[in-house]
Amino acid sequence: MTTQECYAKMGANYEEVLGRLYNEAMIHKFVLLFLKDDSYSNLEAALKAGDAQTAFRAAHTLKGVCQNLGFNNLYVPAAQITETLRAGTLEGTQSQFADVDSKMYYNAYVNWAAANKIVSGVDASHFNPNALITREQAAVIM
């Protein structure tokens, strides 16, 4: 699989990154470095420790790396948590729904969609993330 094919499978923007990094060799180099990047693990550890300042720094770094590499599906939640943490507190970093695990990859997406009134839970504190959705619900989300 080429780097471009990998980007296509991830839904990432290869052409945009190619314009920024100029050739596939550079993209490949930085994508491999991303695998060693500790921003996410630092963010996770800081959130568990209740350290908002370190969590902000890690989230901001992760946001920048994802944006520069065209990883838009990771950039969006990283940008969201960065802005939440910019206030210097952990308020808003946990899921607003009891049944959405804050460690799950979709936690930031669910919270963003709920905050922007695109989706709502099945009640005030439950989302039911494993439920099937109707065509109507899918159309609203899209």
Side-chain angles (χ1 to χ4, degrees), residues 30-98:
F30 284 106
V31 166
L32 291 177
L33 286 173
F34 177 76
L35 298 174
K36 299 175 185 175
D37 185 85
D38 60 357
S39 299
Y40 181 79
S41 58
N42 290 344
L43 172 61
E44 189 175 37
L47 289 172
K48 284 182 184 175
D51 183 351
Q53 184 178 16
T54 301
F56 171 76
R57 199 166 39 251
H60 193 270
T61 300
L62 183 63
K63 176 186 84 161
V65 170
C66 291
Q67 184 175 34
N68 286 328
L69 291 175
F71 297 163
N72 296 338
N73 54 349
L74 297 175
Y75 168 76
V76 170
Q80 178 191 6
I81 197 163
T82 298
E83 294 312 310
T84 300
L85 291 165
R86 190 175 298 279
T89 69
L90 297 177
E91 186 178 332
T93 61
Q94 299 300 317
S95 177
Q96 70 184 60
F97 300 107

Side-chain angles (χ1 to χ4, degrees), residues 95-100 111 114 119-128:
S95 177
Q96 70 184 60
F97 300 107
D99 58 350
V100 176
N111 287 326
V119 299
S120 59
V122 293
D123 62 39
S125 61
H126 295 89
F127 186 76
N128 198 3

